[in-house]
Amino acid sequence: MRSHSIAVLPGDGVGPEVTAAALEVLDAAQEVFGFSTERTDVPLGADHYLETGDLLTDDMVERLRAHDAILFGAIGSPRVRPGVLERGIILALRGAMRQAINLRPVRLYPGVPTPVDGLTPQRCDLVVVRENTEGSYVAEGSAVHRGTPAWTAVQESVNTWYAVERAVDFAYRLASVRRKRLTLCHKTNVLVEAGALWSAVVEEVGQRYPDVETDYVHVDAMCMHLPVSPERFDVVVTDNLFGDIVTDLGAVLQGGLGVAASGNLHLGGEAPSMFEPVHGSAPDIAGRGWANPAGACLSLALMLGHLGEGEAAASVEAATARVLADLPALAGEGMGASTAELGQRVAALVRDGSTPAVEGSLMSQLARVMSP
């Protein structure tokens, strides 16, 4: 029997609730598709930090490195200054595990309302491949004369051929098993040097994938085109900061952060990838069972695809989409069930096995791309 070692980081706020729902779905997928998982609970988050003063220690990095994947809930607490946990745990994990890619699907599932008038599921199915280790997003920066009228801040943006090529090559590989269209999103007319590097990488790598059509869009134009004509995009590759912004706009199209999933992918096999819903810890509703677990369940589907469990990944995605279509919450009437109950509904559909796979499932495509 195939077995996968999973580190489970429930985190803060609603994180433990949505993670528990996703794990119930994982139980169902294991039963149906014939694999097993060994799971280790890891107490990284606000409580652990406040009790110990520790964020991501070297010892914790080595413990996590022994796993095949990390399933992450959410992080953040009003008891901790903003940025401490995010930089000290999430960004630190991405760096320590060399998670080169942040993968964000932007898909509108049937029955999920969107604020974009006239948008249909057939028109909204793309994926953003975001370089995950460089750019201004992760640079430390520096400041002098802080607190005076001469306060000066410098924030660097570092772009290397090595890291950009990793992201671009992965994006082309993904495009080659999808609709064979890749778009570079940048700001080459202003960020001239960084833009020139990204453009040169795309031109060179694109020659390896002659069947993939390539185009370019400025990031500000992307923010205009995405709500109006998302169908023009299939795989979008972009830098770290631009990807962070564009994918939140994409989440609006697909029904909100509650249904948005993500994966932080390590591509070399020496460290685990990490999968997490995009929403935050929402401490104001923690413990009430009000959090939608769809983002966590879809992140689980991404994890299964990454681990090579393509059939299980497609089944979890299909079951989650079916439950989403039935939610009165999406019409503004409340979810009609608790977080745990929604997880149970998804798990039941996975066990039933009668829900047809979503056409063009990214989750099963990911299994093909990640295969040796």
Side-chain angles (χ1 to χ4, degrees):
M1 177 181 288
R2 302 179 306 279
S3 182
H4 308 290
S5 174
I6 310 299
V8 180
L9 279 64
D12 305 316
V14 300
E17 299 169 62
V18 297
T19 301
L23 290 176
E24 182 149 0
V25 176
L26 178 57
D27 290 338
Q30 292 180 185
E31 296 170 17
V32 174
F33 295 98
F35 65 93
S36 65
T37 56
E38 297 178 2
R39 307 171 194 174
T40 303
D41 289 329
V42 180
L44 280 175
D47 288 341
H48 180 74
Y49 171 70
L50 291 170
E51 289 171 8
T52 67
D54 290 337
L55 293 166
L56 184 68
T57 63
D58 292 342
D59 176 66
M60 183 65 74
V61 167
E62 292 310 307
R63 287 171 55 194
L64 290 171
R65 195 183 300 279
H67 294 80
D68 298 320
I70 299 169
L71 187 63
F72 193 82
I75 206 164
S77 169
R79 298 174 296 157
V80 180
R81 180 169 52 86
V84 171
L85 300 174
E86 294 82 354
R87 295 189 67 88
I89 297 178
I90 297 177
L91 294 186
L93 268 171
R94 292 175 182 174
M97 301 303 169
R98 298 182 182 178
Q99 293 166 345
I101 304 295
N102 182 273
L103 192 70
R104 285 278 296 271
V106 179
R107 182 157 202 169
L108 178 62
Y109 290 105
V112 177
T114 171
V116 181
D117 189 40
L119 185 60
T120 63
Q122 292 75 22
R123 295 177 53 214
C124 184
D125 176 17
L126 63 133
V127 58
V128 178
V129 175
R130 166 186 166 194
E131 197 288 316
N132 207 30
T133 64
E134 294 185 343
S136 57
Y137 195 89
V138 298
E140 290 295 334
S142 60
V144 294
H145 309 304
R146 189 186 300 272
T148 76
W151 187 353
T152 303
V154 177
Q155 194 78 45
E156 303 89 355
S157 175
V158 177
N159 301 263
T160 67
W161 186 283
Y162 168 74
V164 173
E165 184 180 32
R166 283 188 310 183
V168 170
D169 183 73
F170 177 86
Y172 269 109
R173 283 192 283 136
L174 185 58
S176 69
V177 301
R178 286 176 56 87
R179 301 196 302 277
K180 303 185 186 305
R181 285 170 25 215
L182 179 139
T183 300
L184 169 61
C185 174
H186 208 277
K187 190 66 176 171
T188 57
N189 59 338
V190 175
L191 304 179
V192 177
E193 294 302 328
L197 189 153
W198 274 85
S199 298
V201 171
V202 167
E203 181 176 0
E204 179 173 304
V205 175
Q207 294 175 15
R208 306 173 200 162
Y209 302 89
D211 60 333
V212 177
E213 176 188 351
T214 304
D215 69 350
Y216 171 82
V217 63
H218 287 320
V219 64
D220 48 340
M222 169 67 80
C223 293
M224 177 181 68
H225 294 311
L226 195 54
V228 176
S229 53
E231 63 272 16
R232 71 173 281 181
F233 303 111
D234 179 22
V235 175
V236 176
V237 64
T238 190
D239 96 325
N240 209 340
L241 181 59
F242 294 153
D244 187 34
I245 296 167
V246 166
T247 51
D248 275 10
L249 175 58
V252 174
L253 273 65
Q254 67 187 115
L257 291 176
V259 299
S262 76
N264 297 279
L265 306 185
H266 173 81
L267 303 179
E270 301 87 9
S273 297
M274 179 169 64
F275 301 86
E276 56 178 315
V278 175
H279 62 70
S281 60
D284 55 323
I285 63 169
R288 301 187 181 188
W290 290 359
N292 188 340
C297 293
L298 292 171
S299 297
L300 170 67
L302 282 175
M303 184 186 81
L304 291 171
H306 173 73
L307 293 172
E309 301 291 347
E311 288 184 301
S315 176
V316 170
E317 179 190 26
T320 305
R322 170 109 171 257
V323 168
L324 278 173
D326 294 337
L327 275 189
L330 300 175
E333 302 170 9
M335 287 198 302
S338 69
T339 306
E341 288 168 342
L342 292 177
Q344 291 162 9
R345 291 183 188 178
V346 176
L349 288 172
V350 171
R351 288 190 176 94
D352 176 68
S354 63
T355 306
V358 176
E359 183 178 356
S361 168
L362 169 64
M363 287 51 173
S364 55
Q365 291 163 351
L366 186 58
R368 294 168 59 189
V369 171
M370 298 305 299
S371 297

